[in-house]
Amino acid sequence: MSLNAKELGEVRSCLERLFDLTPGCVPDRHRRQIREFIDVGEYGLATDELAASFLESGQAIPHNVARLVEQLADTMGLTDSDEHAAVAALRAHVH
């Protein structure tokens, strides 16, 4: 799916908010990588890395973070059958 400029802005904004909300949930090594991906517009990679770091932490996903993940997945047109399996797995860990 190809995103228009408005959708890309929404994706970046959502990733920025997720990044800001999750300093205790995402280890520094992942945060550096996620920041780099966001800065160069690799939003799919940033999404995958963010989801993978949540799963690795084993922490419960707060509802406000879960809502942003759903918004991000919707804007990016991701479904559970997409290659972004980490996002589907993240959805399963919301508490």
Side-chain angles (χ1 to χ4, degrees):
M1 173 182 186
S2 181
L3 301 177
N4 63 37
K6 180 180 180 222
E7 291 166 329
L8 285 172
E10 290 172 12
V11 167
R12 183 181 180 99
S13 174
C14 195
L15 280 168
E16 292 283 358
R17 287 185 307 215
L18 281 168
F19 190 79
D20 290 344
L21 286 172
T22 58
C25 302
V26 178
D28 286 342
R29 63 186 166 86
H30 288 281
R31 290 183 67 75
R32 284 189 295 275
Q33 186 69 57
I34 293 164
R35 169 53 51 206
E36 288 176 21
F37 288 147
I38 292 171
D39 289 346
V40 298
E42 290 289 352
Y43 303 135
L45 292 173
T47 301
D48 286 345
E49 185 71 19
L50 185 61
S53 65
F54 268 125
L55 295 174
E56 185 180 301
S57 77
Q59 296 183 29
I61 308 302
H63 286 283
N64 61 335
V65 171
R67 282 192 302 274
L68 284 172
V69 168
E70 287 300 323
Q71 179 184 348
L72 179 63
D74 288 346
T75 303
M76 292 177 78
L78 303 178
T79 64
D80 291 347
S81 63
D82 280 328
E83 63 206 42
H84 291 82
V87 173
L90 185 60
R91 287 176 173 149
H93 284 77
V94 174
H95 299 290

